[in-house]
Amino acid sequence: METSKVIHAIYTDDDVLMNAVKSVRAEKHHIEEIYTPFPVHGLDKAMGLAPTRLAITAFLYGAVGLAVSIFMMKYIMIEDWPQNIGGKPSFSFIENMPAFVPIMFELTVFFAAHLMVITFYLRSRLWPFKDAENPDPRTTDDHFLMEIAVHNNEEALTKLLKETGAVEVNIIEKEDEH
């Protein structure tokens, strides 16, 4: 494994952090990661992150759930075990569609919700028994941490971060995962 240097800048206010992110990005530095104790609205845009495509996957998972519900009801209620319930014969799917709508809705939501949770955990690389990657335990309480890669510019970057309101700036040797 290779090691590289990163700077950890600690902030105590989310508004100061937002302004610092904008200042660091304006100076053309690459922010590796930001650790926060709660979601900070607009931080993704300030960091220049691409919009998420999770909404597209949610729609696709819902469509899969709808298809599964249609095929399941058609097979169970029309082909495999047709029943005359309350005088309503089960000869066609279309005739019984009003009774099937709640099931189609519920399975659409069920598939979208459960598959989205699984997708989120896999995409975030969160699985059972995974060690925490949080570099500073204070970020789970009341501090914000900005991690920036260092490329022989420690002094200038440290000065910039102090000017943006960082209460603490540390240079850390970090092991690369790749």
Side-chain angles (χ1 to χ4, degrees), residues 23-90:
S23 299
V24 169
R25 294 250 313 141
E27 293 292 324
K28 306 288 188 225
H29 295 289
H30 176 67
I31 300 171
E32 295 288 332
E33 189 65 69
I34 295 182
Y35 299 89
T36 64
F38 53 83
V40 178
H41 180 70
L43 187 59
D44 52 344
K45 288 182 181 175
M47 288 178 64
L49 298 177
T52 179
R53 294 184 302 267
L54 286 177
I56 297 168
T57 58
F59 174 77
L60 294 175
Y61 293 154
V64 168
L66 180 64
V68 166
S69 68
I70 290 170
F71 290 123
M72 178 188 77
M73 289 182 299
K74 183 166 178 8
Y75 177 73
I76 292 172
M77 300 299 291
I78 307 300
E79 296 172 15
D80 186 45
W81 196 280
Q83 298 178 29
N84 187 341
I85 300 172
K88 298 178 184 173
S90 296

Coordinates of all heavy atoms in Angstrom, one line a residue, residues 23-90:
S23 N -14.2 28.7 -0.8 CA -12.8 29.3 -0.9 C -11.8 28.3 -1.4 O -11.0 28.6 -2.3 CB -12.4 29.9 0.4 OG -13.3 30.9 0.9
V24 N -11.8 27.1 -0.8 CA -10.8 26.0 -1.2 C -11.1 25.6 -2.7 O -10.1 25.5 -3.4 CB -11.0 24.8 -0.3 CG1 -10.2 23.6 -0.8 CG2 -10.5 25.2 1.1
R25 N -12.3 25.5 -3.1 CA -12.6 25.2 -4.5 C -12.2 26.3 -5.4 O -11.7 26.1 -6.5 CB -14.1 24.8 -4.7 CG -14.5 23.6 -4.0 CD -14.9 22.4 -4.8 NE -15.7 22.8 -5.9 CZ -15.6 22.3 -7.1 NH1 -14.7 21.4 -7.4 NH2 -16.4 22.6 -8.1
A26 N -12.3 27.6 -5.0 CA -12.0 28.7 -5.8 C -10.5 28.7 -6.0 O -10.0 29.2 -7.1 CB -12.4 30.0 -5.2
E27 N -9.7 28.2 -5.1 CA -8.2 28.1 -5.2 C -7.8 26.9 -6.0 O -6.6 26.5 -6.0 CB -7.6 28.1 -3.8 CG -7.8 29.5 -3.1 CD -7.0 30.6 -3.7 OE1 -5.9 30.4 -4.2 OE2 -7.5 31.7 -3.7
K28 N -8.7 26.1 -6.5 CA -8.5 24.9 -7.4 C -7.9 23.7 -6.6 O -7.1 23.0 -7.2 CB -7.6 25.3 -8.5 CG -8.1 26.4 -9.4 CD -9.3 26.0 -10.2 CE -9.6 27.1 -11.2 NZ -11.0 27.5 -11.2
H29 N -8.2 23.6 -5.3 CA -7.8 22.4 -4.5 C -8.9 21.4 -4.6 O -10.0 21.7 -4.6 CB -7.5 22.8 -3.1 CG -6.3 23.8 -2.9 ND1 -5.0 23.4 -3.1 CD2 -6.3 25.1 -2.6 CE1 -4.2 24.4 -2.9 NE2 -5.0 25.5 -2.6
H30 N -8.5 20.1 -4.6 CA -9.4 19.0 -4.6 C -9.8 18.5 -3.2 O -8.9 18.1 -2.5 CB -8.9 17.9 -5.5 CG -9.8 16.7 -5.5 ND1 -11.0 16.7 -6.1 CD2 -9.7 15.5 -5.0 CE1 -11.6 15.5 -5.9 NE2 -10.8 14.8 -5.2
I31 N -11.0 18.7 -2.9 CA -11.5 18.2 -1.6 C -11.8 16.7 -1.7 O -12.7 16.3 -2.5 CB -12.7 19.0 -1.1 CG1 -12.4 20.4 -1.0 CG2 -13.2 18.4 0.2 CD1 -13.6 21.3 -0.7
E32 N -11.1 15.9 -0.9 CA -11.3 14.4 -1.0 C -12.6 14.0 -0.4 O -13.4 13.3 -1.0 CB -10.2 13.7 -0.3 CG -8.8 13.9 -0.9 CD -8.6 13.1 -2.2 OE1 -9.3 12.1 -2.4 OE2 -7.9 13.6 -3.1
E33 N -12.9 14.5 0.8 CA -14.1 14.1 1.6 C -14.4 15.1 2.7 O -13.5 15.8 3.1 CB -13.8 12.7 2.2 CG -15.1 12.1 2.8 CD -16.1 11.8 1.8 OE1 -15.9 10.9 1.0 OE2 -17.2 12.4 1.9
I34 N -15.6 15.2 3.1 CA -16.0 16.0 4.2 C -16.9 15.2 5.1 O -17.8 14.5 4.7 CB -16.8 17.3 3.7 CG1 -15.9 18.2 2.9 CG2 -17.3 18.0 5.0 CD1 -16.5 19.5 2.5
Y35 N -16.5 15.2 6.4 CA -17.2 14.4 7.4 C -18.0 15.4 8.3 O -17.4 16.3 8.8 CB -16.2 13.6 8.3 CG -15.4 12.6 7.5 CD1 -14.2 13.0 6.9 CD2 -15.9 11.3 7.3 CE1 -13.5 12.0 6.2 CE2 -15.2 10.4 6.6 CZ -14.0 10.8 6.0 OH -13.3 9.8 5.3
T36 N -19.3 15.2 8.4 CA -20.2 16.1 9.2 C -21.0 15.3 10.1 O -21.4 14.1 9.8 CB -21.1 16.9 8.2 OG1 -22.0 16.0 7.6 CG2 -20.3 17.7 7.2
P37 N -21.4 15.9 11.3 CA -22.3 15.2 12.2 C -23.7 15.1 11.8 O -24.5 14.3 12.3 CB -22.1 16.0 13.5 CG -21.7 17.3 13.1 CD -20.9 17.1 11.8
F38 N -24.1 15.9 10.8 CA -25.5 16.0 10.2 C -25.4 16.4 8.8 O -24.4 17.0 8.4 CB -26.4 16.9 11.1 CG -25.9 18.3 11.2 CD1 -26.1 19.2 10.3 CD2 -25.2 18.6 12.4 CE1 -25.6 20.5 10.4 CE2 -24.7 19.9 12.6 CZ -24.9 20.9 11.6
P39 N -26.4 16.2 8.0 CA -26.4 16.6 6.6 C -26.4 18.1 6.5 O -27.1 18.8 7.2 CB -27.7 16.1 6.0 CG -28.1 15.0 6.9 CD -27.6 15.4 8.3
V40 N -25.5 18.6 5.6 CA -25.4 20.1 5.4 C -26.0 20.4 4.1 O -25.4 19.9 3.0 CB -23.9 20.5 5.5 CG1 -23.8 22.0 5.2 CG2 -23.3 20.2 6.9
H41 N -27.1 21.1 4.1 CA -27.8 21.4 2.8 C -26.9 22.2 1.9 O -26.3 23.2 2.3 CB -29.1 22.2 3.1 CG -29.9 22.5 1.9 ND1 -30.5 21.6 1.2 CD2 -30.1 23.7 1.3 CE1 -31.1 22.2 0.1 NE2 -30.8 23.4 0.2
G42 N -26.8 21.8 0.6 CA -26.0 22.5 -0.4 C -24.5 22.2 -0.4 O -23.8 22.6 -1.3
L43 N -24.1 21.3 0.5 CA -22.7 20.9 0.5 C -22.2 20.2 -0.7 O -21.1 20.4 -1.2 CB -22.3 20.1 1.8 CG -20.9 19.8 2.1 CD1 -20.1 21.1 2.2 CD2 -20.7 19.0 3.3
D44 N -23.1 19.3 -1.2 CA -22.7 18.6 -2.4 C -22.5 19.5 -3.6 O -21.6 19.3 -4.4 CB -23.8 17.5 -2.7 CG -25.2 18.1 -2.8 OD1 -25.4 19.2 -2.3 OD2 -26.1 17.4 -3.3
K45 N -23.3 20.5 -3.8 CA -23.1 21.4 -4.9 C -21.9 22.3 -4.7 O -21.2 22.6 -5.6 CB -24.4 22.3 -5.0 CG -25.6 21.6 -5.6 CD -26.8 22.5 -5.8 CE -27.9 21.6 -6.3 NZ -29.1 22.4 -6.4
A46 N -21.7 22.7 -3.4 CA -20.5 23.5 -3.1 C -19.2 22.7 -3.4 O -18.2 23.3 -3.8 CB -20.5 24.0 -1.7
M47 N -19.2 21.4 -3.2 CA -18.1 20.6 -3.4 C -17.9 20.3 -4.9 O -16.9 19.8 -5.3 CB -18.2 19.3 -2.7 CG -18.0 19.4 -1.2 SD -18.2 17.8 -0.3 CE -16.8 16.9 -1.0
G48 N -18.9 20.5 -5.7 CA -18.9 20.2 -7.1 C -19.1 18.8 -7.5 O -18.7 18.3 -8.5
L49 N -19.9 18.1 -6.6 CA -20.2 16.7 -6.9 C -21.3 16.6 -7.9 O -22.2 17.4 -8.0 CB -20.7 16.0 -5.6 CG -19.7 16.0 -4.4 CD1 -20.3 15.3 -3.2 CD2 -18.4 15.2 -4.8
A50 N -21.2 15.6 -8.7 CA -22.2 15.3 -9.8 C -23.5 14.9 -9.1 O -23.5 14.3 -8.0 CB -21.7 14.2 -10.7
P51 N -24.6 15.3 -9.7 CA -25.9 14.9 -9.2 C -26.1 13.3 -9.1 O -25.5 12.6 -9.9 CB -27.0 15.4 -10.1 CG -26.2 16.4 -11.0 CD -24.8 16.0 -10.9
T52 N -26.8 12.9 -8.1 CA -26.9 11.4 -7.9 C -27.9 10.9 -8.9 O -28.8 11.6 -9.4 CB -27.4 11.1 -6.5 OG1 -27.6 9.7 -6.4 CG2 -28.8 11.8 -6.2
R53 N -27.7 9.6 -9.3 CA -28.6 8.9 -10.2 C -29.5 7.9 -9.4 O -30.1 7.1 -10.0 CB -27.8 8.2 -11.3 CG -27.0 9.1 -12.2 CD -26.3 8.4 -13.3 NE -25.4 7.4 -12.8 CZ -24.1 7.6 -12.6 NH1 -23.5 8.8 -12.8 NH2 -23.3 6.7 -12.2
L54 N -29.6 8.1 -8.1 CA -30.4 7.1 -7.3 C -31.9 7.3 -7.6 O -32.6 6.3 -7.5 CB -30.1 7.4 -5.8 CG -28.8 6.9 -5.3 CD1 -28.6 7.2 -3.9 CD2 -28.6 5.4 -5.5
A55 N -32.3 8.4 -8.1 CA -33.7 8.6 -8.4 C -34.1 7.7 -9.6 O -35.2 7.1 -9.7 CB -34.1 10.0 -8.7
I56 N -33.2 7.6 -10.6 CA -33.4 6.8 -11.7 C -33.5 5.3 -11.3 O -34.4 4.6 -11.8 CB -32.3 6.9 -12.8 CG1 -32.3 8.4 -13.3 CG2 -32.4 6.0 -13.9 CD1 -31.1 8.8 -14.1
T57 N -32.6 4.9 -10.4 CA -32.7 3.5 -10.0 C -34.0 3.2 -9.2 O -34.5 2.2 -9.3 CB -31.5 3.1 -9.1 OG1 -31.4 4.0 -8.0 CG2 -30.2 3.2 -9.9
A58 N -34.4 4.2 -8.4 CA -35.7 4.1 -7.6 C -36.8 3.8 -8.6 O -37.7 3.0 -8.4 CB -35.9 5.3 -6.8
F59 N -36.9 4.6 -9.7 CA -37.9 4.4 -10.7 C -37.9 3.0 -11.3 O -38.9 2.3 -11.5 CB -37.8 5.5 -11.8 CG -38.8 5.3 -12.9 CD1 -40.1 5.6 -12.7 CD2 -38.4 4.7 -14.1 CE1 -41.1 5.4 -13.7 CE2 -39.3 4.5 -15.1 CZ -40.6 4.8 -14.9
L60 N -36.7 2.6 -11.7 CA -36.5 1.3 -12.3 C -36.9 0.2 -11.3 O -37.6 -0.8 -11.7 CB -35.1 1.1 -12.7 CG -34.6 2.0 -13.9 CD1 -33.1 1.8 -14.2 CD2 -35.5 1.7 -15.1
Y61 N -36.5 0.3 -10.0 CA -36.9 -0.7 -9.0 C -38.4 -0.7 -8.8 O -39.0 -1.8 -8.7 CB -36.2 -0.4 -7.7 CG -34.7 -0.6 -7.7 CD1 -33.9 0.0 -6.8 CD2 -34.1 -1.5 -8.6 CE1 -32.5 -0.1 -6.8 CE2 -32.7 -1.7 -8.6 CZ -32.0 -1.0 -7.7 OH -30.6 -1.1 -7.8
G62 N -39.1 0.5 -8.9 CA -40.5 0.5 -8.8 C -41.2 -0.2 -10.0 O -42.2 -0.9 -9.9
A63 N -40.6 0.0 -11.2 CA -41.1 -0.6 -12.4 C -41.0 -2.1 -12.3 O -41.9 -2.9 -12.7 CB -40.4 -0.1 -13.6
V64 N -39.9 -2.6 -11.7 CA -39.7 -4.1 -11.5 C -40.8 -4.6 -10.6 O -41.4 -5.6 -10.8 CB -38.3 -4.4 -11.0 CG1 -38.2 -5.8 -10.5 CG2 -37.2 -4.1 -12.1
G65 N -41.0 -3.8 -9.5 CA -42.1 -4.2 -8.5 C -43.4 -4.3 -9.2 O -44.2 -5.2 -8.9
L66 N -43.8 -3.3 -10.0 CA -45.0 -3.3 -10.7 C -45.2 -4.5 -11.6 O -46.2 -5.2 -11.7 CB -45.2 -2.0 -11.5 CG -46.5 -1.8 -12.3 CD1 -47.7 -1.8 -11.3 CD2 -46.4 -0.6 -13.1
A67 N -44.1 -4.8 -12.4 CA -44.1 -5.9 -13.3 C -44.3 -7.2 -12.5 O -45.1 -8.1 -12.9 CB -42.8 -6.0 -14.1
V68 N -43.6 -7.4 -11.4 CA -43.7 -8.6 -10.6 C -45.1 -8.7 -10.1 O -45.7 -9.8 -10.1 CB -42.7 -8.6 -9.4 CG1 -43.0 -9.6 -8.4 CG2 -41.2 -8.8 -10.0
S69 N -45.7 -7.6 -9.6 CA -47.1 -7.7 -9.1 C -48.1 -8.1 -10.2 O -49.0 -8.9 -9.9 CB -47.5 -6.4 -8.4 OG -47.6 -5.4 -9.4
I70 N -47.9 -7.6 -11.4 CA -48.8 -7.9 -12.5 C -48.7 -9.4 -12.8 O -49.7 -10.1 -13.0 CB -48.6 -7.0 -13.7 CG1 -49.1 -5.6 -13.3 CG2 -49.3 -7.5 -14.9 CD1 -48.6 -4.5 -14.4
F71 N -47.5 -9.8 -13.0 CA -47.3 -11.2 -13.4 C -47.7 -12.2 -12.3 O -48.3 -13.2 -12.5 CB -45.8 -11.5 -13.8 CG -45.4 -10.9 -15.1 CD1 -44.4 -10.0 -15.1 CD2 -46.1 -11.1 -16.3 CE1 -44.0 -9.4 -16.3 CE2 -45.8 -10.6 -17.5 CZ -44.7 -9.7 -17.5
M72 N -47.5 -11.8 -11.0 CA -47.9 -12.6 -9.9 C -49.4 -12.7 -9.8 O -49.9 -13.9 -9.7 CB -47.3 -12.0 -8.6 CG -47.7 -12.8 -7.4 SD -47.2 -11.9 -5.9 CE -48.5 -10.7 -5.8
M73 N -50.1 -11.6 -9.9 CA -51.6 -11.7 -9.8 C -52.2 -12.4 -11.0 O -53.2 -13.1 -10.8 CB -52.1 -10.3 -9.6 CG -51.8 -9.6 -8.3 SD -52.5 -8.0 -8.1 CE -51.7 -7.1 -9.4
K74 N -51.6 -12.1 -12.2 CA -52.2 -12.8 -13.3 C -52.0 -14.3 -13.2 O -53.0 -15.1 -13.5 CB -51.5 -12.3 -14.6 CG -52.1 -12.9 -15.9 CD -51.6 -12.2 -17.1 CE -52.1 -12.7 -18.4 NZ -53.1 -13.7 -18.5
Y75 N -50.9 -14.8 -12.8 CA -50.7 -16.2 -12.6 C -51.5 -16.8 -11.5 O -52.3 -17.8 -11.7 CB -49.2 -16.5 -12.4 CG -48.9 -18.0 -12.1 CD1 -49.0 -18.9 -13.2 CD2 -48.7 -18.5 -10.9 CE1 -48.8 -20.2 -13.0 CE2 -48.5 -19.8 -10.6 CZ -48.6 -20.7 -11.7 OH -48.4 -22.0 -11.5
I76 N -51.5 -16.2 -10.3 CA -52.2 -16.7 -9.1 C -53.7 -16.6 -9.3 O -54.4 -17.6 -9.1 CB -51.7 -16.0 -7.9 CG1 -50.2 -16.3 -7.6 CG2 -52.6 -16.4 -6.7 CD1 -49.6 -15.5 -6.4
M77 N -54.2 -15.4 -9.6 CA -55.6 -15.2 -9.6 C -56.4 -15.6 -10.8 O -57.6 -15.8 -10.8 CB -55.9 -13.7 -9.2 CG -55.3 -13.3 -7.9 SD -56.0 -14.2 -6.5 CE -57.7 -13.6 -6.4
I78 N -55.7 -15.6 -12.0 CA -56.4 -15.9 -13.2 C -56.1 -17.3 -13.8 O -57.0 -18.0 -14.2 CB -56.0 -14.8 -14.3 CG1 -56.2 -13.4 -13.8 CG2 -56.7 -15.1 -15.6 CD1 -57.6 -13.1 -13.4
E79 N -54.8 -17.7 -13.8 CA -54.4 -19.0 -14.4 C -54.4 -20.1 -13.4 O -54.9 -21.2 -13.6 CB -53.0 -18.8 -15.1 CG -53.1 -17.8 -16.2 CD -51.7 -17.5 -16.8 OE1 -50.8 -18.3 -16.5 OE2 -51.6 -16.5 -17.5
D80 N -53.7 -20.0 -12.3 CA -53.4 -21.1 -11.4 C -54.6 -21.4 -10.5 O -55.0 -22.6 -10.4 CB -52.2 -20.8 -10.5 CG -51.8 -22.0 -9.7 OD1 -51.7 -23.1 -10.2 OD2 -51.5 -21.8 -8.5
W81 N -55.2 -20.5 -9.9 CA -56.3 -20.7 -8.9 C -57.4 -19.7 -9.0 O -57.6 -18.9 -8.1 CB -55.6 -20.7 -7.5 CG -56.5 -21.3 -6.4 CD1 -57.5 -20.7 -5.8 CD2 -56.3 -22.6 -5.8 NE1 -58.1 -21.6 -4.9 CE2 -57.3 -22.7 -4.9 CE3 -55.5 -23.6 -6.0 CZ2 -57.5 -23.9 -4.1 CZ3 -55.6 -24.8 -5.3 CH2 -56.6 -24.9 -4.3
P82 N -58.1 -19.7 -10.1 CA -59.2 -18.7 -10.3 C -60.3 -19.0 -9.3 O -60.7 -20.2 -9.1 CB -59.6 -18.9 -11.7 CG -59.2 -20.2 -12.1 CD -58.0 -20.5 -11.3
Q83 N -60.9 -18.0 -8.7 CA -61.9 -18.2 -7.7 C -63.1 -17.2 -8.0 O -62.8 -16.1 -8.5 CB -61.4 -18.0 -6.3 CG -60.4 -18.9 -5.9 CD -59.9 -18.6 -4.5 OE1 -60.6 -18.1 -3.6 NE2 -58.6 -18.9 -4.2
N84 N -64.3 -17.6 -7.7 CA -65.4 -16.8 -7.8 C -65.7 -16.2 -6.5 O -66.3 -16.8 -5.6 CB -66.7 -17.6 -8.3 CG -67.8 -16.7 -8.6 OD1 -67.9 -15.5 -8.2 ND2 -68.8 -17.2 -9.3
I85 N -65.2 -14.9 -6.3 CA -65.3 -14.2 -5.0 C -66.4 -13.2 -5.1 O -66.3 -12.2 -5.8 CB -63.9 -13.6 -4.6 CG1 -62.8 -14.7 -4.5 CG2 -64.1 -12.9 -3.3 CD1 -61.5 -14.1 -4.4
G86 N -67.4 -13.4 -4.3 CA -68.5 -12.4 -4.3 C -69.2 -12.3 -5.6 O -69.7 -11.2 -5.9
G87 N -69.3 -13.3 -6.4 CA -70.0 -13.3 -7.6 C -69.1 -12.7 -8.8 O -69.6 -12.4 -9.9
K88 N -67.9 -12.4 -8.5 CA -67.0 -11.8 -9.5 C -66.1 -12.9 -10.1 O -65.1 -13.3 -9.5 CB -66.1 -10.7 -8.9 CG -66.9 -9.5 -8.4 CD -66.0 -8.5 -7.8 CE -66.8 -7.4 -7.1 NZ -66.0 -6.5 -6.4
P89 N -66.4 -13.4 -11.3 CA -65.6 -14.4 -11.9 C -64.2 -13.9 -12.3 O -64.0 -12.8 -12.6 CB -66.4 -14.9 -13.1 CG -67.2 -13.7 -13.4 CD -67.5 -13.0 -12.2
S90 N -63.2 -14.8 -12.2 CA -61.8 -14.4 -12.5 C -61.4 -15.0 -13.8 O -60.6 -15.9 -13.9 CB -60.9 -14.9 -11.4 OG -61.2 -14.3 -10.2

